[in-house]
Amino acid sequence: MLSHPLRSPALRPREDTGLTDRVARSAAATQGAHLRTEDFAEWLAGRGRAHRFRVERIPFAALDGWSFEEGTGNLVHASGKFFTVEGLRVTSDEGPYRAWHQPIIKQPEVGILGILVKEFDGVPHCLMQAKMEPGNPNLLQLSPTVQATRSNYTKVHKGADVKYIEYFNGPRRGRVLADVLQSEHGSWFFRKSNRNMIVEVDADDDVPLYDDFCWLTLGQLAELLHRDNVVNMDSRTVLACFPPTGRNTSDGDSFAHALARSLDPRFGALLADTELLSWFTAERARHDVEAERVPLAELPGWHRTEDRISSDSGRWFDVVAVRVHAESREVTGWTQPLVRPRSKGVAAFLTRSFDGVLHVLVHARVEGGFLDTVELAPTVQYAPDNYADLPAADRPPFLDAVLDADPARIRYEAVHSEEGGRFLDAENRYLVIEAQDERQAPADPPAGFAWATVAQLSALVRHGHYLNVQARTLLACLNAMGARRT
């Protein structure tokens, strides 16, 4: 456990001040050059009416091209591409569950999640797509310009070309603002990474605008991040890669003022950058975690029926199968497996201000599918139903503080779904909560937790496998809170 007086941050990578200023202009623009924010909901609904979408649960026997492999029982595709559903055995040295078996998605190929940026009237706009994903609760959500696996953009499925892929794959046609490999859900994917990219083209570049795409400012996206199930997970993780752009506050809101200072790397942090990195490295080193792929057919505590693979405990998640019809996709019809959680999760940052600078409490979290033991996660990241019957001593730290939080201290709240291409109805209630007192969130936190500023998390997200996908969502939401006018 570490506790230090506030100090100046350590050396940081050189910033492109021009980029920071332009991002700030985009974050301050609450109306776009092509689409008004108040018209967005009708535009999205119109894109839904323009295409027919249908998703239905089916038995595994009705899967086309998928089968349970002889011997292992792994769920595989006949092409040998896309992904497989296998088994995983995990042992850990911490937590109420220290050894377990589970199904896991293995998808070794690296996908591209990319946002194309272009200035209109001097204000950078992001090219976003209304994209149907079979697992989304409302099917149609706002995705990045490009959201494609390698199988997609190399056309293993023999479908249509992925629109705008040429801006992200192949000869450069613009300036790369961000390009980093980031993890996907470590609880459901085995060592899966995607390439998160932001590419800017010149203002006079003639970028075609196809159906289902629209140009939005970062200020508009900040507003949409406050709405339930609108901005999809892949957009949120890429948006987290933009530099933070806090605004000066003079409205008397102490939280907003502290957040603005937290977004600014010139203000000090409780732990200097090198100390935060040292703490995180020590967390990775101290955990003894083993994750071994095993045959799906041999998972203790799991059983398979004609239409699902489930835990004997009735908790966690199921593996199910669906048939999809989507007129707007590169392939208009297919079948596939999906992971379906048994209950809604909660992902929350507890926050405190130290010397007027907002800090968030991060957790060095173990997940069986991570590439390197732990990644920084929200203070709380759990499906509460999975821990409801545990004694108080075994319940996850800070979970009750989040669940019992005073509504007046909840500074951000929205329900966002997770990756709709692999997960069915996977939703988390995302929260930013102002801690009430030292007892609720101590300045000297327990092992596995540390205080960090938003600017520090923004610096770390430029590098792969530091922040998990839920923490990146909350980072994008914190940036949105800083940009939003109140």
Side-chain angles (χ1 to χ4, degrees), residues 38 102 169 208 230 256 294 303 350 365 369 436:
E38 56 264 35
Q102 65 167 92
N169 187 45
V230 171
V294 297
H303 62 275
L350 287 175
R365 178 182 169 91
Q436 193 161 347

Side-chain angles (χ1 to χ4, degrees), residues 4 20-21 56 113 154 172 200 204 233-234 247 250 267 292 295 318 340 388 414 438 441 470:
H4 296 274
T20 302
D21 290 343
E56 59 179 320
L113 309 177
T154 58
R172 299 291 189 203
E200 185 178 30
D204 58 359
M233 186 218 77
D234 299 293
R247 61 182 177 86
S250 56
F267 289 95
E292 177 188 6
D318 299 331
R340 185 176 186 274
E438 172 74 12
Q470 291 87 351

Side-chain angles (χ1 to χ4, degrees), residues 87-92 100 102-107 182-193 289-293 365-375 381 465 468:
L88 189 72
R89 180 184 64 84
V90 184
T91 59
S92 175
W100 70 90
Q102 65 167 92
I104 197 84
I105 298 172
K106 183 175 182 294
Q107 186 174 348
Q182 298 286 10
S183 63
E184 290 237 14
H185 296 75
S187 293
W188 295 329
F189 277 112
F190 185 74
R191 299 179 181 175
K192 173 75 169 71
S193 298
V289 180
E290 293 184 8
E292 177 188 6
R293 289 157 52 205
R365 178 182 169 91
V366 172
E367 294 186 20
F370 280 156
L371 181 66
D372 196 358
T373 313
V374 302
E375 294 189 12
Q381 178 193 314
H465 304 285
N468 78 353

Side-chain angles (χ1 to χ4, degrees), residues 98-137:
R98 301 196 177 193
W100 70 90
H101 290 77
Q102 65 167 92
I104 197 84
I105 298 172
K106 183 175 182 294
Q107 186 174 348
E109 61 183 33
V110 174
I112 292 178
L113 309 177
I115 291 179
L116 194 64
V117 175
K118 179 181 175 180
E119 284 191 3
F120 295 94
D121 300 327
V123 178
H125 287 59
C126 299
L127 185 60
M128 309 299 290
Q129 179 184 8
K131 189 179 182 70
M132 181 273 188
E133 292 286 352
N136 288 339

Side-chain angles (χ1 to χ4, degrees), residues 138-159:
N138 52 352
L139 293 184
L140 199 66
Q141 294 189 17
L142 203 58
S143 83
T145 317
V146 167
Q147 176 184 320
T149 65
R150 184 180 298 141
S151 293
N152 289 146
Y153 65 77
T154 58
K155 301 206 292 185
V156 170
H157 50 38
K158 298 180 172 60

Side-chain angles (χ1 to χ4, degrees), residues 254-255 349-353 358 401-402 404-413 429 431-438 440-441 481:
S254 60
F255 180 90
F349 270 142
L350 287 175
T351 73
R352 283 187 64 182
S353 293
L358 190 79
V402 165
D404 299 335
D406 180 351
R409 305 189 75 85
I410 296 175
R411 294 296 187 152
Y412 174 89
E413 180 175 10
R429 180 183 175 217
L431 300 160
V432 175
I433 299 170
E434 191 176 14
Q436 193 161 347
D437 51 34
E438 172 74 12
Q440 189 179 49
M481 293 170 66

